[in-house]
Protein backbone atom coordinates (compact mmCIF):
# COMPACT_ATOMS: atom_id res chain seq x y z
CA UNK A 1 0.00 0.00 0.00
CA UNK A 2 1.30 3.46 -0.94
CA UNK A 3 1.78 5.75 2.07
CA UNK A 4 0.63 9.36 1.72
CA UNK A 5 2.98 11.86 3.37
CA UNK A 6 1.92 15.36 2.25
CA UNK A 7 -1.42 16.99 3.00
CA UNK A 8 -2.96 20.02 1.33
CA UNK A 9 -3.30 21.98 4.57
CA UNK A 10 0.49 21.88 4.99
CA UNK A 11 1.25 23.39 1.57
CA UNK A 12 2.22 27.01 0.96
CA UNK A 13 3.20 28.96 -2.17
CA UNK A 14 6.64 27.91 -3.36
CA UNK A 15 6.42 24.37 -1.97
CA UNK A 16 7.18 21.44 -4.30
CA UNK A 17 4.49 18.76 -4.52
CA UNK A 18 4.93 15.04 -5.19
CA UNK A 19 2.19 12.96 -3.57
CA UNK A 20 -1.24 11.37 -3.94
CA UNK A 21 -4.51 13.31 -3.96
CA UNK A 22 -8.15 12.65 -4.80
CA UNK A 23 -9.87 14.43 -7.68
CA UNK A 24 -13.25 15.95 -6.78
CA UNK A 25 -13.76 17.99 -9.96
CA UNK A 26 -12.08 18.28 -13.34
CA UNK A 27 -12.81 20.34 -16.42
CA UNK A 28 -10.90 20.84 -19.66
CA UNK A 29 -10.73 24.51 -20.61
CA UNK A 30 -9.22 26.78 -23.23
CA UNK A 31 -6.50 29.40 -22.71
CA UNK A 32 -4.49 31.60 -25.08
CA UNK A 33 -1.60 29.14 -25.06
CA UNK A 34 -3.75 26.02 -25.48
CA UNK A 35 -6.11 23.73 -23.63
CA UNK A 36 -5.59 23.09 -19.93
CA UNK A 37 -7.15 21.11 -17.07
CA UNK A 38 -8.85 22.86 -14.16
CA UNK A 39 -8.89 20.40 -11.26
CA UNK A 40 -9.96 20.37 -7.63
CA UNK A 41 -7.82 18.13 -5.44
CA UNK A 42 -8.78 16.81 -2.02
CA UNK A 43 -7.38 14.91 0.92
CA UNK A 44 -8.56 14.59 4.51
CA UNK A 45 -7.16 18.03 5.34
CA UNK A 46 -9.22 19.92 2.76
CA UNK A 47 -9.36 20.92 -0.92
CA UNK A 48 -7.17 22.94 -3.29
CA UNK A 49 -7.45 24.07 -6.89
CA UNK A 50 -4.88 22.86 -9.40
CA UNK A 51 -4.05 23.41 -13.07
CA UNK A 52 -2.33 21.33 -15.73
CA UNK A 53 -1.17 23.86 -18.29
CA UNK A 54 -0.19 23.24 -21.90
CA UNK A 55 1.91 21.45 -23.08
CA UNK A 56 1.74 19.07 -20.07
CA UNK A 57 -2.06 19.02 -20.37
CA UNK A 58 -1.85 17.44 -23.83
CA UNK A 59 -0.59 14.19 -22.31
CA UNK A 60 -3.61 13.94 -19.96
CA UNK A 61 -6.63 12.55 -21.80
CA UNK A 62 -8.98 11.89 -18.90
CA UNK A 63 -9.33 13.05 -15.28
CA UNK A 64 -12.20 11.07 -13.73
CA UNK A 65 -13.98 12.62 -10.77
CA UNK A 66 -13.31 10.54 -7.65
CA UNK A 67 -10.02 9.21 -8.98
CA UNK A 68 -6.77 9.01 -7.01
CA UNK A 69 -3.76 10.54 -8.75
CA UNK A 70 -0.06 11.07 -8.14
CA UNK A 71 0.54 14.77 -8.61
CA UNK A 72 3.86 16.51 -9.12
CA UNK A 73 4.26 20.25 -9.39
CA UNK A 74 4.62 23.48 -7.43
CA UNK A 75 2.29 25.43 -5.16
CA UNK A 76 1.61 28.96 -6.40
CA UNK A 77 -0.65 31.88 -5.52
CA UNK A 78 -2.99 33.36 -8.14
CA UNK A 79 -5.37 36.24 -7.35
CA UNK A 80 -4.91 35.50 -3.67
CA UNK A 81 -5.81 31.83 -4.06
CA UNK A 82 -3.34 29.03 -3.39
CA UNK A 83 -3.23 26.44 -6.15
CA UNK A 84 -0.96 23.76 -7.58
CA UNK A 85 0.61 24.03 -11.01
CA UNK A 86 0.87 20.39 -12.05
CA UNK A 87 3.78 19.24 -14.20
CA UNK A 88 3.11 15.49 -13.96
CA UNK A 89 -0.19 13.70 -13.38
CA UNK A 90 -0.77 9.95 -13.17
CA UNK A 91 -3.84 7.98 -12.07
CA UNK A 92 -3.25 5.23 -9.51
CA UNK A 93 -5.28 2.21 -8.41
CA UNK A 94 -7.52 3.22 -5.45
CA UNK A 95 -6.98 -0.26 -4.02
CA UNK A 96 -3.31 0.62 -3.48
CA UNK A 97 -4.04 3.47 -1.05
CA UNK A 98 -5.82 4.07 2.23
CA UNK A 99 -8.94 6.03 1.23
CA UNK A 100 -9.17 7.46 4.76
CA UNK A 101 -6.22 9.70 3.80
CA UNK A 102 -8.36 11.42 1.17
CA UNK A 103 -11.67 11.94 2.95
CA UNK A 104 -12.16 14.67 5.52
CA UNK A 105 -13.83 13.40 8.70
CA UNK A 106 -15.48 15.16 11.63
CA UNK A 107 -13.10 15.71 14.54
CA UNK A 108 -15.71 14.11 16.81
CA UNK A 109 -16.44 10.39 16.22
CA UNK A 110 -19.91 9.66 14.83
CA UNK A 111 -20.82 7.45 17.79
CA UNK A 112 -20.14 10.33 20.18
CA UNK A 113 -22.17 12.78 18.06
CA UNK A 114 -25.09 10.36 17.96
CA UNK A 115 -24.90 9.87 21.70
CA UNK A 116 -25.06 13.65 22.22
CA UNK A 117 -28.06 13.94 19.88
CA UNK A 118 -29.88 11.17 21.76
CA UNK A 119 -29.04 12.76 25.10
CA UNK A 120 -30.60 16.06 23.97
CA UNK A 121 -33.74 14.25 22.86
CA UNK A 122 -33.94 12.24 26.06
CA UNK A 123 -33.65 15.37 28.20
CA UNK A 124 -35.84 17.59 26.03
CA UNK A 125 -38.78 15.39 25.05
CA UNK A 126 -41.62 14.40 27.36
CA UNK A 127 -44.37 13.91 24.77
CA UNK A 128 -44.49 10.15 24.16
CA UNK A 129 -45.27 10.24 20.40
CA UNK A 130 -42.25 12.48 19.73
CA UNK A 131 -39.99 10.24 21.79
CA UNK A 132 -41.28 7.16 19.94
CA UNK A 133 -40.82 8.76 16.51
CA UNK A 134 -37.24 9.84 17.21
CA UNK A 135 -36.37 6.44 18.68
CA UNK A 136 -37.79 4.57 15.68
CA UNK A 137 -35.80 6.73 13.27
CA UNK A 138 -32.49 6.76 15.11
CA UNK A 139 -32.50 3.02 15.85
CA UNK A 140 -33.28 2.07 12.25
CA UNK A 141 -30.04 0.36 11.07
CA UNK A 142 -30.10 1.87 7.56
CA UNK A 143 -30.78 5.41 8.74
CA UNK A 144 -28.28 5.21 11.59
CA UNK A 145 -25.52 3.94 9.29
CA UNK A 146 -26.22 6.61 6.66
CA UNK A 147 -26.44 9.39 9.25
CA UNK A 148 -23.13 8.34 10.80
CA UNK A 149 -21.12 8.96 7.63
CA UNK A 150 -23.09 11.54 5.64
CA UNK A 151 -21.55 14.94 4.86
CA UNK A 152 -23.53 18.05 5.76
CA UNK A 153 -23.24 19.40 2.22
CA UNK A 154 -21.22 19.04 -0.96
CA UNK A 155 -19.07 22.14 -0.36
CA UNK A 156 -20.64 24.98 1.60
CA UNK A 157 -20.58 23.68 5.19
CA UNK A 158 -19.67 20.50 7.08
CA UNK A 159 -18.60 18.90 3.80
CA UNK A 160 -16.92 15.88 5.36
CA UNK A 161 -17.81 12.47 6.74
CA UNK A 162 -19.92 12.89 9.87
CA UNK A 163 -20.63 16.49 8.92
CA UNK A 164 -24.40 16.01 8.79
CA UNK A 165 -24.50 14.74 12.37
CA UNK A 166 -22.23 17.56 13.53
CA UNK A 167 -24.42 20.15 11.79
CA UNK A 168 -27.65 18.61 13.12
CA UNK A 169 -26.37 18.61 16.69
CA UNK A 170 -25.29 22.25 16.40
CA UNK A 171 -28.69 23.34 15.04
CA UNK A 172 -30.49 21.43 17.81
CA UNK A 173 -28.44 23.26 20.44
CA UNK A 174 -28.92 26.64 18.76
CA UNK A 175 -32.67 26.09 18.54
CA UNK A 176 -32.89 25.21 22.24
CA UNK A 177 -30.95 28.35 23.18
CA UNK A 178 -33.14 30.62 21.05
CA UNK A 179 -36.39 28.93 22.07
CA UNK A 180 -35.56 29.53 25.73
CA UNK A 181 -36.11 33.25 25.06
CA UNK A 182 -39.71 32.60 23.94
CA UNK A 183 -41.78 30.92 26.67
CA UNK A 184 -44.73 30.47 24.28
CA UNK A 185 -42.64 28.37 21.86
CA UNK A 186 -43.25 24.63 21.65
CA UNK A 187 -39.68 23.62 22.41
CA UNK A 188 -40.35 19.91 21.92
CA UNK A 189 -41.61 20.18 18.35
CA UNK A 190 -38.72 22.52 17.55
CA UNK A 191 -36.26 19.95 18.87
CA UNK A 192 -37.81 17.21 16.72
CA UNK A 193 -37.92 19.50 13.67
CA UNK A 194 -34.24 20.37 13.94
CA UNK A 195 -33.34 16.69 14.24
CA UNK A 196 -35.12 15.95 10.97
CA UNK A 197 -34.50 19.19 9.05
CA UNK A 198 -31.61 17.81 6.96
CA UNK A 199 -32.05 14.07 7.44
CA UNK A 200 -32.64 13.54 3.73
CA UNK A 201 -29.01 14.50 3.06
CA UNK A 202 -28.00 11.15 4.52
CA UNK A 203 -29.38 9.64 1.30
CA UNK A 204 -29.07 12.63 -1.04
CA UNK A 205 -25.27 12.93 -1.17
CA UNK A 206 -22.83 10.08 -1.73
CA UNK A 207 -20.21 9.61 0.98
CA UNK A 208 -17.47 8.65 -1.49
CA UNK A 209 -14.65 10.78 -2.79
CA UNK A 210 -16.77 12.65 -5.34
CA UNK A 211 -19.68 13.50 -2.96
CA UNK A 212 -22.11 13.79 -5.86
CA UNK A 213 -25.91 13.63 -5.61
CA UNK A 214 -27.45 10.17 -5.62
CA UNK A 215 -30.41 9.06 -7.74
CA UNK A 216 -32.43 8.95 -4.53
Amino acid sequence: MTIKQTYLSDLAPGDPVADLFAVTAAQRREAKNGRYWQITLMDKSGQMEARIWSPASQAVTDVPRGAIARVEGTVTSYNGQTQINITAFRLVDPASVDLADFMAVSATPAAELLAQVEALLDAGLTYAPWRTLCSLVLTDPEIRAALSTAPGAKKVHHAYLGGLLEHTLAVMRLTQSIAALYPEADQEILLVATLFHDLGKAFEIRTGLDREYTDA
Side-chain angles (χ1 to χ4, degrees), residues 43-55:
D43 60 28
K44 68 179 183 180
S45 72
Q47 296 191 11
M48 186 176 292
E49 290 297 304
R51 303 290 186 271
I52 310 177
W53 300 107
S54 182

Side-chain angles (χ1 to χ4, degrees), residues 116 120 168-178 191 194:
Q116 292 180 42
L120 279 182
T168 299
L169 179 61
V171 175
M172 291 172 73
R173 287 173 171 161
L174 284 169
T175 301
Q176 281 193 314
S177 298
I178 295 170
L191 190 61
T194 50

Side-chain angles (χ1 to χ4, degrees), residues 75-142:
V75 182
T76 64
S77 180
Y78 179 73
N79 284 340
Q81 181 184 40
T82 302
Q83 66 180 39
I84 300 174
N85 283 349
I86 299 174
T87 55
F89 183 91
R90 177 174 58 85
L91 299 177
V92 303
D93 183 359
S96 67
V97 302
D98 183 357
L99 290 179
D101 288 335
F102 304 92
M103 304 172 73
V105 181
S106 170
T108 306
E112 185 175 330
L113 291 170
L114 268 171
Q116 292 180 42
V117 166
E118 290 171 327
L120 279 182
L121 295 170
D122 187 56
L125 297 180
T126 59
Y127 184 53
W130 289 144
R131 293 178 66 91
T132 300
L133 173 63
C134 293
S135 177
L136 286 171
V137 171
L138 292 180
T139 57
D140 179 279
E142 182 182 6

Side-chain angles (χ1 to χ4, degrees), residues 3-60:
I3 304 300
K4 180 173 169 60
Q5 297 179 321
T6 304
Y7 290 91
L8 293 171
S9 61
D10 300 325
L11 297 176
D15 290 343
V17 179
D19 214 320
L20 301 172
F21 301 95
V23 175
T24 62
Q27 185 177 16
R28 203 161 193 176
R29 309 192 70 171
E30 197 75 35
K32 291 181 179 180
N33 63 341
R35 303 183 84 182
Y36 71 96
W37 283 98
Q38 177 179 313
I39 299 172
T40 304
L41 300 175
M42 179 179 76
D43 60 28
K44 68 179 183 180
S45 72
Q47 296 191 11
M48 186 176 292
E49 290 297 304
R51 303 290 186 271
I52 310 177
W53 300 107
S54 182
S57 61
Q58 298 173 20
V60 181

